[in-house]
Each structure stands twice: as structure tokens, then as C-alpha cells.
């Protein structure tokens, strides 16, 4: 299989015009790239189909400017409010080719749904005011539902706007709404569908049984800690490695040598899905649905090693919850826009100032504590590592110098830093409005450069390599933010 068969046709035509030596050089570079990827990325030199596809798509997204953009030509388009009477789309004959189309719809993975009057309409009606420019309709998270009737499609949004279009055929209409449905699950809600007619079978299965997608264990544990006010909570998600298996995550209270005498632990149990049947590993009994399986497990005791536990409360998927199943897209507007920056305000009564640690360019740095009090709705728990009771969190307080005028840029910087969420980046909890005190996460061993200078004799090369990989991960997150 030639590499020319794996790239877009426009690239292949461009390469075909090059001379022989250039073609040989490109072919060798392609072979070396595949060989390097196979040796350093895939275990034991085996390049699987899924990894090849992932590498191809991730590379293609950077090479092709219009990657992730598709256009649809429609014979009729009508924009209206939700309470207005629907247009009579069935009276318009479906367009058989692009020349008969009156409008063009663009579906952009980063920008949402756009539309414009087609070029043919502008050229055939020059006397009319028909500007050939793109107009935004909505982004994917704004869609509430989609209705399809043969070749007619109606898209409704949260602000009560509707777009009615007529495609060339019912097959193209289903393809159009399938694309919107998929982008909605990637950007807004991984467990919901907009139109039942095009919903994938796996999504319908998850909806009926309360299953999560292939969720990472970190997000599974965070969800259990956040929503499980009581013991014996569990959730079931698909395995991110083996798509034919489910994983039952459960938290329980174990008695160990800690200060309060109790601690929460986590266990996993695998469920096999085969021939529309579900079977828990270690239990030779099959069930027709996951709900039937979990109902049976609630009356039994699960044993894992030396621990035994029971399950009671199932944590179901919630609308728009954050997980690794959602794609983080670039903002449509620059972050410097005032309307885009949100700063969490912290009361002065919640801050206790401690000893002085040093001075920065514009701030005095103190060690302190942030008082977190539990509330009935649990909002505070969600903000600070899901603590279930009031406690004091060690923090770093950055107080501007007295002769320094606090600018709007400083507040915007705090707001932007507060939106960052990465395991290897210091978290900004918020800002005390009256004295403009920035409240940051407390790091036990201090700044990395100071620690390396102080402990350079005892730090091994292996430890430095691990830190370098963590820094690379943080920088990659910042670039994509």
C-alpha cells in the first residue's frame, strides 16, 4: 500500500507534480516516520490498527487546515423562532446537485454550525442583496434536539431558534444529523443523543442501563467521591482498553491505621459483554442487562482479596459532567475578553495569613490557610477536592505591594490561571476582592528550581527524567488551553 493512498487527494496531486528525487525523499521520510513511531510508541514493535489510525488522524489534523470541516448543500433553508409556525419544506423539490442548491451549511468541529447563501444563487441573482458570507447559527452544546422527516431536518437550540433545511435525500439528512449528534457527544454530553433515529446502539445501551463511556479511573474516582455521600456507592463504565468489557468501580470504608480510624478505598470488578449477555468475572451466571446484574449484586457480598464489600447506590451519568470523554476545544474568542474571564471570589474571613515566605516582583508571599465550610448543596465540596466537612486547607497568599496599583490585567490573570486544571500545575483557588490577595495551592517542597538547587546532591537522574516528563505534560496542556 503506497503512502499516496493514505493522504488527501489534493496532497497526492501536489506530490505527483514533483520531480523523481523529491518523491523518493518524501517516501523515505514517510517510511522513517512510521518506523520511528513503531519502535518508540508501540510495545514490541507491533503497530496495531487503532494506533495507526490515531497517529494518522492526529497528524492530518495539523496538516490540513480544513480538517474537521464538512459542507452540505440544501435546496431550502428557513430560520425561525421556536414559537413561529414551521415552514412548508415538503413543497420544495430536493436538490439533485450542488448547482440547484440555494444554501450551503458548514459543520466545523471547532466553531459549530454555519450557513450562507450558495455561490450559484449569488451569481444568478446579482441584482438582489445576497451577500456571500458565512453566518453562525449555533455551537454544538447549544442544540437541544433534532427532528428528521425524510429529507427534512429541524434543529432547535437553547435560545428558541430553529433551522429547517431540506437535504437532497433522506440518506444525506441522516448523515448530516449523525455528524451533529457525534460532535454534541464530543463537546457537550458524552452520554446523550439529539435524535433517536441516528443514535448509536452503544449509546442507547448506556442510556438504558445507566452506563458511562470508557472513563479514566481518575474521573471515575472523583465522581464517586463527589456524589457518594454514603458508603457502598458504585458506577459502571466501559473499559478504555477492552471495549467488550465493563468495569464496576466501587468505594468502601476500610478500617486501617489512620488518624480518624477509617479511610475510603477503591475496588474494581470486570464485567464481560458477549452476545448481548453480561457476566461478572468470577461468577458463572449471565444476565440480559447490566441493570439486572447490578440488582442481583446488591443482595450479595463481593470479595476482592482480603476485603469484602456490598454495593448499594449507583452513580448515573449526569448532563455535561467533565471527563476524558469530552474534547477541549480552542475558544472562539480571545481569553482577554472581559466576558470570558471568571474569577472565584474568596471572602477575607475565609483566609488566615501566616508566616512570610519571601517577596516577588509585585507581591509579598505568605503561607496561610483557606477555611472551607461544607454546605447543603455541596458546591464547596466540589471546589476543594470534594471534602465532606469543614476544614482548613494550606495555601499560598500573594499580596500586592502597598504602593502598587492593582490593574485589571492582574485580575484577568488570576481568572485565567483559575481555569487551568492539571495535576502538575499549581492550582489557583481564587482572589480576595477587597485586598486583591491571590490564593494558590500550597506546594510542600516549594519551587522546583529552588528544590533542585538545594537537593542537587541527592537527586538522581531517573527522578529528573520523571520531572521532565511531567513538565512536558504540563506544557502540552498549556499549549492546547
Amino acid at each position: 500500500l503506497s503512502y499516496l493512498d493514505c493522504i488527501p487527494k489534493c496532497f497526492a496531486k501536489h506530490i505527483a507534480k514533483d520531480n523523481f528525487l523529491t518523491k523518493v525523499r518524501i517516501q523515505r521520510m514517510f517510511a522513517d516516520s512510521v518506523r520511528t513511531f513503531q519502535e518508540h510508541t508501540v510495545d514490541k514493535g507491533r503497530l496495531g490498527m487503532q494506533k495507526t489510525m490515531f497517529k494518522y488522524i492526529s497528524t492530518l489534523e495539523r496538516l490540513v487546515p480544513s480538517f474537521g470541516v464538512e459542507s452540505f448543500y440544501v435546496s431550502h433553508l428557513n430560520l425561525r423562532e421556536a414559537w413561529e409556525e414551521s415552514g412548508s419544506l415538503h413543497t420544495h423539490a430536493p436538490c439533485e446537485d450542488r448547482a440547484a442548491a440555494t444554501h450551503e451549511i458548514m459543520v466545523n468541529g471547532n466553531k459549530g454550525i454555519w450557513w450562507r447563501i450558495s455561490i450559484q444563487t449569488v451569481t444568478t441573482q446579482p441584482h438582489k442583496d445576497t451577500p456571500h458570507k458565512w453566518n453562525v447559527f449555533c455551537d454544538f452544546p447549544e442544540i437541544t434536539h433534532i427532528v428528521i422527516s425524510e429529507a427534512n431536518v429541524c434543529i432547535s437550540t437553547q435560545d428558541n431558534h430553529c433551522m429547517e433545511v431540506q437535504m437532497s435525500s433522506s440518506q444525506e439528512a441522516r448523515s448530516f444529523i449523525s455528524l451533529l449528534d457525534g460532535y454534541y457527544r464530543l463537546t457537550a454530553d458524552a452520554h446523550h443523543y439529539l435524535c433517536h433515529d441516528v443514535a448509536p446502539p452503544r449509546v442507547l445501551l448506556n442510556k438504558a442501563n445507566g452506563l458511562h463511556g470508557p472513563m479514566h479511573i481518575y474521573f471515575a474516582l472523583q465522581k464517586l467521591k463527589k456524589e457518594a455521600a454514603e458508603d457502598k456507592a458504585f458506577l459502571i463504565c466501559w473499559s478504555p482498553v477492552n471495549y467488550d468489557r465493563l468495569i464496576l468501580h466501587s468505594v468502601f470504608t476500610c478500617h486501617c491505621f489512620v488518624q480518624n480510624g477509617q479511610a475510603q478505598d477503591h475496588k474494581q470488578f470486570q464485567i464481560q459483554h458477549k452476545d448481548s449477555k453480561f457476566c461478572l468475572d468470577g461468577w458463572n451466571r449471565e444476565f440480559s442487562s447490566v441493570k439486572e446484574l447490578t440488582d442481583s449484586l446488591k443482595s450479595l457480598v463481593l470479595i476482592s482479596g482480603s476485603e469484602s464489600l456490598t454495593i448499594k447506590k449507583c452513580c448515573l451519568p449526569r448532563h455535561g459532567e467533565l471527563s476524558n470523554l469530552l474534547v477541549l476545544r480552542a475558544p472562539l474568542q480571545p481569553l482577554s475578553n472581559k466576558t470570558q474571564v471568571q474569577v472565584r471570589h474568596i471572602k477575607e474571613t475565609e483566609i488566615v495569613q501566616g508566616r512570610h515566605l519571601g517577596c516577588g516582583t509585585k507581591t509579598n508571599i505568605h503561607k496561610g490557610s483557606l477555611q472551607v465550610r461544607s454546605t447543603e448543596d455541596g458546591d464547596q465540596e466540589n471546589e476543594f477536592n470534594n471534602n465532606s466537612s469543614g476544614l482548613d486547607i494550606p495555601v499560598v497568599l500573594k499580596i500586592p505591594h502597598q504602593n502598587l496599583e492593582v490593574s485589571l490585567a492582574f485580575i484577568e490573570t488570576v481568572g485565567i490561571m483559575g481555569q487551568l486544571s492539571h495535576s502538575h500545575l499549581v492550582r489557583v483557588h481564587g482572589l480576595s476582592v477587597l485586598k486583591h490577595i491571590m490564593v494558590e495551592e500550597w506546594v510542600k517542597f516549594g519551587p522546583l528550581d529552588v528544590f533542585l538547587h538545594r537537593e542537587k546532591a541527592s537527586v538522581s537522574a531517573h527522578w529528573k527524567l520523571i520531572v521532565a516528563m511531567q513538565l512536558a505534560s504540563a506544557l502540552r496542556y498549556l499549549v492546547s488551553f
Side-chain angles (χ1 to χ4, degrees), residues 180-251:
L180 301 182
D181 193 57
Y183 273 127
Y184 180 84
R185 279 192 295 277
L186 284 175
T187 59
D189 191 345
H191 305 96
H192 186 65
Y193 56 85
L194 298 172
C195 181
H196 188 274
D197 295 341
V198 298
R202 178 64 64 89
V203 176
L204 297 178
L205 177 64
N206 295 348
K207 194 80 172 179
N209 293 272
L211 307 178
H212 296 262
M215 185 183 297
H216 192 273
I217 184 174
Y218 169 80
F219 294 97
L221 293 180
Q222 290 299 316
K223 181 176 178 63
L224 286 173
K225 293 178 181 179
K226 175 184 175 181
E227 299 187 7
E230 59 186 54
D231 197 10
K232 306 176 183 178
F234 71 97
L235 67 80
I236 301 178
C237 65
W238 291 95
S239 170
V241 179
N242 190 340
Y243 297 151
D244 291 329
R245 283 184 173 271
L246 293 153
I247 300 178
L248 188 151
H249 296 273
S250 178
V251 293

Side-chain angles (χ1 to χ4, degrees), residues 26-85:
I26 295 176
Q27 186 175 6
R28 287 183 177 179
M29 291 178 61
F30 180 82
D32 292 341
S33 176
V34 173
R35 189 182 304 110
T36 302
F37 175 71
Q38 186 174 9
E39 291 176 353
H40 298 282
T41 307
V42 185
D43 295 336
K44 299 180 181 180
R46 292 194 297 267
L47 189 62
M49 182 180 299
Q50 290 183 347
K51 293 182 176 63
T52 306
M53 187 180 301
F54 173 78
K55 174 66 177 177
Y56 172 69
I57 293 176
S58 61
T59 305
L60 187 65
E61 187 176 6
R62 293 172 175 83
L63 295 177
V64 184
S66 59
F67 185 75
V69 178
E70 294 193 34
S71 297
F72 296 85
Y73 294 86
V74 299
S75 59
H76 183 75
L77 184 146
N78 179 38
L79 300 177
R80 63 177 178 86
E81 301 292 335
W83 55 81
E84 294 179 354
E85 185 178 356

Side-chain angles (χ1 to χ4, degrees), residues 105-368:
I105 299 178
M106 177 180 66
V107 180
N108 191 315
N110 289 321
K111 299 181 179 180
I113 306 173
W114 295 64
W115 67 274
R116 68 178 178 182
I117 300 175
S118 64
I119 301 177
Q120 291 78 11
T121 304
V122 175
T123 55
T124 56
Q125 300 178 2
H127 61 283
K128 292 188 178 182
D129 186 15
T130 54
H132 183 63
K133 65 178 182 179
W134 287 106
N135 304 279
V136 61
F137 174 65
C138 72
D139 199 4
F140 306 113
E142 301 174 8
I143 303 176
T144 56
H145 62 277
I146 300 176
V147 179
I148 180 175
S149 176
E150 296 181 355
N152 302 328
V153 178
C154 180
I155 307 171
S156 300
T157 63
Q158 297 175 356
D159 55 358
N160 295 323
H161 287 99
C162 294
M163 172 187 280
E164 296 177 334
V165 296
Q166 186 174 45
M167 317 295 288
S168 62
S169 63
S170 60
Q171 183 178 4
E172 186 179 15
R174 295 175 68 89
S175 175
F176 173 61
I177 62 178
S178 296
L179 182 64
L180 301 182
D181 193 57
Y183 273 127
Y184 180 84
R185 279 192 295 277
L186 284 175
T187 59
D189 191 345
H191 305 96
H192 186 65
Y193 56 85
L194 298 172
C195 181
H196 188 274
D197 295 341
V198 298
R202 178 64 64 89
V203 176
L204 297 178
L205 177 64
N206 295 348
K207 194 80 172 179
N209 293 272
L211 307 178
H212 296 262
M215 185 183 297
H216 192 273
I217 184 174
Y218 169 80
F219 294 97
L221 293 180
Q222 290 299 316
K223 181 176 178 63
L224 286 173
K225 293 178 181 179
K226 175 184 175 181
E227 299 187 7
E230 59 186 54
D231 197 10
K232 306 176 183 178
F234 71 97
L235 67 80
I236 301 178
C237 65
W238 291 95
S239 170
V241 179
N242 190 340
Y243 297 151
D244 291 329
R245 283 184 173 271
L246 293 153
I247 300 178
L248 188 151
H249 296 273
S250 178
V251 293
F252 65 97
T253 301
C254 63
H255 300 277
C256 52
F257 295 100
V258 293
Q259 293 180 357
N260 57 0
Q262 290 183 346
Q264 278 194 330
D265 198 0
H266 163 256
K267 291 295 182 181
Q268 297 182 17
F269 301 90
Q270 293 196 13
I271 302 174
Q272 186 176 3
H273 177 220
K274 185 177 181 181
D275 299 332
S276 301
K277 297 293 184 180
F278 299 90
C279 178
L280 181 70
D281 283 1
W283 192 15
N284 297 327
R285 182 179 173 184
E286 295 182 343
F287 296 87
S288 58
S289 67
V290 178
K291 190 176 184 306
E292 183 181 350
L293 171 61
T294 54
D295 290 342
S296 300
L297 291 177
K298 290 179 181 179
S299 60
L300 302 175
V301 177
L302 300 178
I303 299 177
S304 177
S306 60
E307 299 289 345
S308 60
L309 65 146
T310 58
I311 60 175
K312 182 178 179 182
K313 178 186 176 182
C314 180
C315 296
L316 301 176
R318 292 185 178 271
H319 176 75
E321 61 184 357
L322 297 179
S323 70
N324 59 295
L325 304 177
L326 296 181
V327 175
L328 180 64
R329 299 179 299 168
L332 299 182
Q333 298 180 1
L335 287 174
S336 58
N337 193 336
K338 298 179 184 179
T339 59
Q340 300 239 348
V341 177
Q342 297 181 356
V343 181
R344 183 182 184 275
H345 295 167
I346 298 178
K347 299 178 182 180
E348 283 192 16
T349 56
E350 299 175 348
I351 301 175
V352 178
Q353 183 175 329
R355 61 186 176 90
H356 185 261
L357 299 177
C359 294
T361 306
K362 298 181 180 180
T363 60
N364 286 309
I365 305 174
H366 292 260
K367 182 179 180 181

